[in-house]
Amino acid sequence: MTRATPPPPRAAPPQAAHTTPAPALARSPLVFQPVKRKRCGACRRGPLGLLTLEGGQPRCLDCADLGHLVFLPRGDTALTRRAREESALSAVVVRFHRRRGRYERQGVLVEEQALARAEARCLADAEARARRRARDAARRAAQDAVFVAEFAARIRRLFPGCPEDRAAAIAAHAGARGSGRVGRSAAGRALTEGAVAAAVRAAVRHVDTPYDRLLMEGVPRREARSRVTEAVAAVLDGWQGPTPAPSTAPDPYATGTPVTLDSSTGPAALHETATTGTVRSM
């Protein structure tokens, strides 16, 4: 019987030119500011102001070999960065924000001597960094002024009947840096029609209707919005018509004063629209 010849062995695949694996990025230990009262799972000390997790169990900083570190609150970016550079061991401190549903950084833990060296470095160039911050603030203020002017002009193009001072106030409110409002979103910065119209609609809802009062009375937000929908539409329809005379009524976004609804003013008529469903001619 003829013996079958085994197939030749496969050639090994060619090796890549660079086979050295990329080094893993070093990650700082994570330390938590607990929302609830916790005790260390090892030494039973507590309640703990700061803790780590090992195998799902809380550990105090001493049991986690982090007790020699000092806490540096967030706020000074340069000091935090330099303290972590100077410290051989550091940890990021976070706390759970219930309303936002996420962990947020509260500061860092660093070696005490490292913090002292970082503070000395910051003191050495404090004047230069202050000048740079002033230049950056002036540049951002100029950019914001241009953006608010463009936003107001876009409002006037979409709603030619909107008074100029009102358009400027809406643009300044919606485009405030760091506010998180629609004007600072990507669509808002691009001056898209949807984002600009949303900013105008929100301003009308708060200023020209009893929406805020309904919320203060405990009306759910969705229901309150539903009640003032027709009133908001009436104002927007009016602004899409002929240009009226400049508004002389104080704007709460510009002055910070609350709006008072009076029986002789337009918002009272809008209140009647929101509560009865009828539109009274003005």
Side-chain angles (χ1 to χ4, degrees), residues 145-211:
V146 172
F147 172 70
V148 168
E150 293 176 348
F151 202 98
R154 179 65 166 160
I155 292 175
R156 293 279 293 163
R157 285 195 295 269
L158 293 177
F159 301 94
C162 178
E164 292 186 11
D165 57 344
R166 187 68 185 280
I170 294 173
H173 181 74
R177 183 181 292 269
S179 64
R181 301 187 184 108
V182 65
R184 300 308 304 185
S185 64
R189 292 194 300 270
L191 300 178
T192 63
E193 181 176 345
V196 175
V200 174
R201 190 178 302 110
V204 170
R205 184 185 302 118
H206 287 285
V207 177
D208 300 301
T209 76
Y211 177 71

Side-chain angles (χ1 to χ4, degrees), residues 8-247:
R10 282 188 178 183
Q15 296 293 326
H18 301 284
T19 58
T20 303
L25 297 177
R27 296 185 60 183
S28 298
L30 203 58
V31 175
F32 300 89
Q33 283 185 351
V35 178
K36 299 179 180 179
R37 297 168 64 90
K38 297 286 186 178
R39 290 186 174 273
C40 177
C43 67
R44 306 307 299 168
R45 183 169 30 176
L48 301 176
L50 295 173
L51 60 87
T52 62
L53 292 178
E54 292 183 359
Q57 296 297 317
R59 293 288 187 272
C60 67
L61 297 187
D62 288 334
C63 291
D65 295 331
L66 299 176
H68 64 291
L69 303 181
V70 294
F71 178 60
L72 173 60
R74 65 178 183 179
D76 191 327
T77 305
L79 180 59
T80 298
R81 183 183 69 254
R82 290 173 173 178
R84 296 190 69 183
E85 291 172 354
E86 295 284 350
S87 185
L89 176 63
S90 64
V92 176
V93 180
V94 297
R95 182 180 177 85
F96 188 73
H97 195 294
R98 290 181 174 177
R99 183 172 61 84
R100 296 174 182 172
R102 67 188 184 196
Y103 282 96
E104 296 185 344
R105 182 178 299 213
Q106 304 299 308
V108 294
L109 292 174
V110 294
E111 296 171 341
E112 188 171 2
Q113 293 181 349
L115 178 57
R117 292 192 296 269
E119 289 174 339
R121 290 174 57 185
C122 289
L123 287 175
D125 62 354
E127 185 177 350
R129 289 187 294 112
R131 290 196 300 268
R132 183 170 62 247
R133 285 196 299 268
R135 290 194 302 269
D136 292 343
R139 174 178 52 80
R140 288 192 296 267
Q143 293 174 347
D144 291 347
V146 172
F147 172 70
V148 168
E150 293 176 348
F151 202 98
R154 179 65 166 160
I155 292 175
R156 293 279 293 163
R157 285 195 295 269
L158 293 177
F159 301 94
C162 178
E164 292 186 11
D165 57 344
R166 187 68 185 280
I170 294 173
H173 181 74
R177 183 181 292 269
S179 64
R181 301 187 184 108
V182 65
R184 300 308 304 185
S185 64
R189 292 194 300 270
L191 300 178
T192 63
E193 181 176 345
V196 175
V200 174
R201 190 178 302 110
V204 170
R205 184 185 302 118
H206 287 285
V207 177
D208 300 301
T209 76
Y211 177 71
D212 290 352
R213 183 174 61 79
L214 293 175
L215 293 180
M216 290 297 295
E217 293 175 353
V219 178
R221 184 175 62 88
R222 291 182 181 275
E223 182 180 345
R225 285 197 174 196
S226 177
R227 291 189 188 183
V228 302
T229 297
E230 294 182 5
V232 172
V235 175
L236 297 183
D237 289 344
W239 283 357
Q240 289 176 336
T243 304
S247 172

